[in-house]
Amino acid sequence: MNALSAGVQLAWTRARTPSLPLLLAASAALAVALVHFTESSLDAVLEGPVLGWTLPIVGYLIAQRVTDNQRLDHSLEPLARHGADRRRVAVGLLLVSAALSALTGGLLAIVTVSAAHEHFDAAWLRDLAATTLVASAAGLVYATWFWGASTIGRRGGGRLWALAGDLVLGAGSSLFALPFPRSHLRNLLGGLPPAGLSQRAAWLAFAILSALTTLNTLRRLPR
Amino acid sequence: MNRLVLAELACTSLPPLSADIGQGLYAVLEPALDASQELIAVIAGRAAPTRGRVTLNGKTPFDHPDVRASIASVQAEEAPLPERTVLDAVTSTLALHPEASPARAVLERAGCAELCNERVERLSAREARSVALAIALAQPEPALIALHEPLATRVDPSVLRSALARAARRAVVIVTISRFEDSRALGGRVITVRPHGWREFSAARLGAHALRVRSDSAGELFTLLEGMPEILQVTRVGQKELLVHGEALEPLARIVAEQARRAGFALAGLCEQIDPYLLGSTPGLPHSGSQQVAIPADPKRPIYGAAERRR
């Protein structure tokens, strides 16, 4: 078995707990409840509690599980001690958390959009496709974001700082919001853009954030 | 030929250390848990040293996955991979060592067969270490084996001894031990960690008698006794214990008591150690164990006369 597949297996074993499907179900139920029992618009629900709050929190919890609540390099030791390359194992961990976060984003988007539309017509399909794509991409970005933040702190406490920063600073629209995924996610959902960026620039920001976080994390990890 | 080199190695709980070690079995006598753990972690490539360098056959284990693949290690705290059962966890681990025996055979050989179907999260600390030791002993042709207290596991000591003796023919085997008796029982060379180097315990300087001395100031007493001509060897065998070797029991006890009195160190115990592992002339000893003798208030009164007569 190579280090990458061993990393994937380790991450999946750690993530595969009964709490994960329960968390997803609870998030989906919350999304439906918000759409039905509040007077907020679909955009407001998506930008606020569903994708603005729930997605990063679930992404954070997934990263916690996958890294076994440790710093990233320490969480790789069960395999690294047997000669597995830490960087490859770490990529294995990232793949699993990215897949789970993207799935969470997609699921939340599908449930929320479907709950908000009365008929499953062309408008529903258009909304569904656009929102699911943005939410899944945001899930991927959050996975790399928390994975990178896991290298900071004695026990990976950087994850919590990354979450707090995203929820607080990412909510703004100034230059300070630029490094945080939440500001670009809001832009892509049609909300207030950070520093007046276009939606195309938001996609680019997603790509740059993910690439920089991944490369910097891999560079910091010993082999 | 395998070679482990420690060059001015420094860690949080270890003094600066340099050593060049070839294949063979080395029992490192290290009473402090932190230092022992750190030493194993650093030489096995599981942690980077604070300062200095560790190389195994010219490469640093921490930075080279191929070197780590040839290292088998057991730490003070171990956790098998988070699979359902121990057998699953061992199977997943051994997937990284394709030439190793099947998981069940590995556990059976180490005497841990009854743990096969045990759930991983229900393992006690000792059982988890036993599983880790079984995996370490199953590793095919390791260049380095680094084990923390391997006798404090469920693995049969005779199985462990023969496995380590066999491995030591080709690999560097380093075992950290806190009890002196265990280090002698495992065989190989007994090493004590000293600032800037390792010192080998000399079996030729065991003498005819050994005293186990307990004191809160064991470290300071060790420094006082070390250079005395009547004392053949002093070894720290615990946080608060020393083993003092000499040829005659009464003078040995008197020197220890006098030195302690002069320096104002309280002695919590002074025992004659009659464990065969700890004496030069092992055959013919009636039994092993230790005998506590009260230290008299009068410095002129014999300390060990009564005990010697009893023997």
Side-chain angles (χ1 to χ4, degrees):
Chain A
M1 188 189 280
N2 65 37
L4 182 67
S5 51
V8 168
Q9 193 181 326
L10 176 66
W12 177 239
T13 316
R14 284 173 175 168
R16 162 188 87 181
T17 53
S19 56
L20 187 67
L22 279 177
L23 187 68
L24 287 182
S27 309
L30 175 75
V32 173
L34 285 167
V35 169
H36 278 293
F37 302 114
T38 65
E39 290 181 359
S40 312
S41 67
L42 173 61
D43 284 350
V45 171
L46 283 172
E47 283 171 33
V50 177
L51 297 182
W53 290 87
T54 311
L55 182 61
I57 290 171
V58 173
Y60 165 80
L61 293 174
I62 289 171
Q64 286 267 88
R65 289 294 318 166
V66 162
T67 56
D68 200 20
N69 205 9
Q70 299 177 62
R71 204 168 75 182
L72 182 62
D73 54 342
H74 291 169
S75 78
L76 312 172
E77 279 314 303
L79 299 175
R81 64 182 286 193
H82 291 285
D85 186 327
R86 290 184 183 93
R87 292 177 186 171
R88 289 178 192 206
V89 178
V91 171
L93 261 60
L94 173 63
L95 289 178
V96 172
S97 44
L100 290 173
S101 295
L103 190 74
T104 307
L107 181 76
L108 288 175
I110 291 168
V111 170
T112 316
V113 171
S114 302
H117 282 261
E118 286 182 5
H119 306 289
F120 294 151
D121 52 10
W124 165 75
L125 198 62
R126 214 172 31 247
D127 256 4
L128 189 71
T131 314
T132 309
L133 179 67
V134 169
S136 302
L140 289 177
V141 177
Y142 275 119
T144 49
W145 178 252
F146 291 121
W147 178 74
S150 300
T151 56
I152 301 163
R154 274 170 65 106
R155 294 185 59 90
R159 277 186 299 264
L160 194 59
W161 288 107
L163 176 68
D166 185 63
L167 294 180
V168 177
L169 294 175
S173 56
S174 66
L175 278 175
F176 293 111
L178 281 179
F180 298 97
R182 191 181 179 195
S183 63
H184 305 292
L185 171 62
R186 190 182 59 240
N187 188 6
L188 288 170
L189 290 170
L192 195 62
L197 285 184
S198 67
Q199 286 202 332
R200 190 172 289 181
W203 280 112
L204 191 64
F206 262 8
I208 291 173
L209 262 181
S210 303
L212 282 183
T213 313
T214 308
L215 292 175
N216 185 47
T217 306
L218 289 178
R219 189 184 59 81
R220 289 183 63 184
L221 277 179
R223 295 193 68 211
Chain B
M1 174 147 170
N2 294 305
R3 194 136 218 103
L4 177 73
V5 178
L6 314 179
E8 280 301 312
L9 172 72
C11 299
T12 326
S13 36
L14 275 173
L17 198 58
S18 292
D20 186 341
I21 308 155
Q23 57 212 36
L25 172 57
Y26 304 86
V28 180
L29 188 62
E30 180 48 69
L33 175 67
D34 286 354
S36 166
Q37 271 201 119
E38 209 165 0
L39 180 66
I40 295 293
V42 165
I43 63 176
R46 292 168 73 168
T50 317
R51 195 167 54 81
R53 208 170 133 86
V54 178
T55 57
L56 178 62
N57 300 329
K59 286 181 175 175
T60 51
F62 186 72
D63 299 313
H64 292 88
D66 56 324
V67 178
R68 287 199 302 275
S70 66
I71 298 175
S73 65
V74 175
Q75 280 278 39
E77 283 174 23
E78 289 286 352
L81 287 179
E83 299 284 355
R84 214 175 120 77
T85 64
V86 168
L87 189 64
D88 294 339
V90 177
T91 306
S92 294
T93 308
L94 293 178
L96 292 161
H97 300 288
E99 289 147 34
S101 311
R104 190 175 288 276
V106 164
L107 288 166
E108 276 170 4
R109 222 171 17 234
C112 302
E114 71 278 13
L115 296 177
C116 277
N117 298 319
E118 196 70 43
R119 292 187 72 109
V120 166
E121 66 272 16
R122 287 196 192 145
L123 288 184
S124 66
R126 187 184 171 90
E127 286 168 341
R129 294 189 72 245
S130 309
V131 172
L133 182 56
I135 294 169
L137 296 178
Q139 207 160 312
E141 308 229 346
L144 168 68
I145 298 180
L147 310 173
H148 170 85
E149 296 280 3
L151 285 168
T153 60
R154 289 174 57 148
V155 176
D156 186 331
S158 60
V159 171
L160 178 68
R161 260 195 301 270
S162 59
L164 293 184
R166 209 168 37 246
R169 287 185 214 133
R170 302 175 66 112
V172 181
V173 181
I174 293 184
V175 175
T176 57
I177 294 279
S178 59
R179 292 183 69 232
F180 186 74
E181 296 87 325
D182 288 348
S183 65
R184 295 276 293 156
L186 270 179
R189 293 151 80 173
V190 180
I191 306 285
T192 48
V193 177
R194 311 297 303 278
H196 304 290
W198 289 14
R199 188 162 129 181
E200 186 168 346
F201 179 86
S202 168
R205 296 176 65 198
L206 285 166
H209 293 278
L211 278 179
R212 189 176 280 267
V213 182
R214 290 194 195 96
S215 169
D216 284 343
S217 313
E220 292 89 335
L221 197 56
F222 173 86
T223 317
L224 282 179
L225 297 174
E226 206 181 17
M228 308 210 70
E230 299 87 344
I231 292 174
L232 290 174
Q233 194 158 218
V234 193
T235 314
R236 286 199 72 171
V237 291
Q239 293 282 25
K240 295 179 179 178
E241 283 190 342
L242 300 176
L243 210 57
V244 185
H245 291 269
E247 289 301 351
L249 197 58
E250 176 62 30
L252 205 59
R254 187 164 295 284
I255 288 165
V256 172
E258 274 174 13
Q259 290 297 323
R261 271 192 197 116
R262 213 173 284 167
F265 302 144
L267 291 181
L270 196 62
C271 309
E272 183 188 6
Q273 189 69 44
I274 40 181
D275 191 309
Y277 284 121
L278 306 182
L279 299 173
S281 52
T282 49
L285 273 175
H287 63 283
S288 68
S290 63
Q291 202 160 21
Q292 173 86 34
V293 176
I295 306 156
D298 177 9
K300 288 182 182 158
R301 223 178 111 194
I303 296 175
Y304 261 97
E308 276 193 307
R309 274 197 299 278
R310 275 203 298 276
R311 282 182 66 200

